Every structure is written in structure tokens, then in C-alpha cells.
């Protein structure tokens, strides 16, 4: 049994083929920024920001959301004494993002989720978006068994 509604699984399947090239693009951009220096703190300049930027981009967030997400995600991962405030900030961002994508869809996961979800499921979409970075993706579908 899946942890996701079927419309989330459909949206994740559509996203799948583009994810690899998108991640490579983000990684290249970060490496290009610090490579000329010849020496950098990889955790500070790479390991922390890359997952945040990839997650935000896949969901369809642009720079307007970057500050809230960049501060809130690490706080939720145990690096803050204020996880409740971080949770509320991300919840608010998810609500804004879903409302924005409902008005103007783009080539991103939230837009595809809205496209595949029945209209009566749209009200719960912000909570689904909020869960995405913390849950495992659905397992790939397998064809009929050959045994």
C-alpha cells in the first residue's frame, strides 16, 4: 500500500525522467561557483544548499521562496531550538505555492499534482506538498512476474 494518493504517484512518475538532468544542472552551478577558489568548505557551500535548491526547484519554487525554505528546512532537521516556527513557515510557503500553481501551472511537481488530483482533493494539497521532502518516494512499478 502506498503512502501517497494516486495523483501524487502520477505526478512523481512524470517528474522522474527530468529529475536527473535537473540535479546535475544544480550541482554544476554550485561547483562552478566555488571551483575557482580551489578550496572550500564542502558542507557549507555544497552539502547544505544543494538539497534545498533541488527540492525547491522540483516543487516549482523560485527565488521568492528561497529564504524561508533555506532557513526552515535545516531547522526541521534538528538544527534549531524553534522547529515549530520552521514548520509553520514551511506550511505557509506550501499554501502559497499551491495557490500560485493553481493559478498558473508550470513544469513542476506541484503543478502536476494539481493536474492529476480530483478537484475535491485540492484543499489538502498544501499538506501533501509539505510531506514530500520527508517521505520516501513510491517504489517503481514492476511488470508481471516471470516466475
Amino acid at each position: 500500500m502506498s503512502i501517497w494518493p494516486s495523483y501524487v504517484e502520477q505526478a512523481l512518475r512524470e517528474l522522474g525522467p527530468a529529475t536527473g538532468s535537473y540535479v546535475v544542472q544544480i550541482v554544476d552551478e554550485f561547483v562552478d561557483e566555488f571551483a575557482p577558489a580551489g578550496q572550500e568548505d564542502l558542507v557549507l557551500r555544497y552539502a547544505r544548499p544543494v538539497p534545498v535548491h533541488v527540492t525547491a526547484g522540483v516543487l516549482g519554487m523560485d527565488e521568492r521562496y528561497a529564504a524561508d525554505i533555506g532557513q526552515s528546512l535545516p531547522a526541521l532537521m534538528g538544527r534549531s531550538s524553534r522547529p515549530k516556527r520552521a514548520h509553520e513557515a514551511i506550511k505557509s510557503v506550501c499554501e502559497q505555492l499551491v495557490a500560485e500553481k493553481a493559478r498558473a501551472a508550470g513544469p513542476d511537481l506541484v503543478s502536476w499534482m494539481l493536474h492529476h488530483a480530483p478537484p475535491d482533493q485540492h484543499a489538502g494539497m498544501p499538506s501533501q506538498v509539505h510531506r514530500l521532502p520527508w517521505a520516501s518516494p513510491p517504489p517503481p512499478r514492476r511488470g508481471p512476474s516471470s516466475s
Side-chain angles (χ1 to χ4, degrees):
M1 184 170 161
S2 175
I3 63 170
W4 299 112
S6 63
Y7 65 86
V8 175
E9 289 188 15
Q10 289 174 306
L12 286 167
R13 279 194 298 276
E14 285 189 34
L15 176 71
T19 304
S21 60
Y22 178 73
V23 171
V24 168
Q25 175 190 339
I26 296 296
V27 166
D28 285 348
E29 289 172 9
F30 274 86
V31 170
D32 289 346
E33 283 182 27
F34 69 75
Q39 189 175 18
E40 276 293 339
D41 179 338
L42 287 179
V43 172
L44 182 63
R45 294 285 306 248
Y46 184 82
R48 286 186 184 163
V50 168
V52 172
H53 283 269
V54 168
T55 300
V58 166
L59 291 174
M61 297 176 180
D62 58 25
E63 298 79 28
R64 294 172 294 148
Y65 298 101
D68 286 337
I69 294 299
Q71 292 173 358
S72 299
L73 284 179
L76 288 176
M77 295 170 15
R79 298 190 194 116
S80 171
S81 60
R82 300 180 188 178
K84 184 172 180 163
R85 183 165 38 164
H87 171 76
E88 291 301 319
I90 290 180
K91 181 180 172 188
S92 175
V93 165
C94 292
E95 290 167 354
Q96 293 170 22
L97 180 65
V98 169
E100 178 183 313
K101 296 301 177 176
R103 290 188 305 273
D108 55 74
L109 185 56
V110 173
S111 296
W112 290 325
M113 287 170 61
L114 286 163
H115 172 76
H116 290 294
D120 66 335
Q121 298 292 310
H122 287 200
M125 191 74 59
S127 65
Q128 293 295 337
V129 172
H130 187 269
R131 288 180 51 213
L132 283 167
W134 313 110
S136 299
R141 294 191 186 255
R142 300 186 189 269
S145 175
S146 57
S147 51

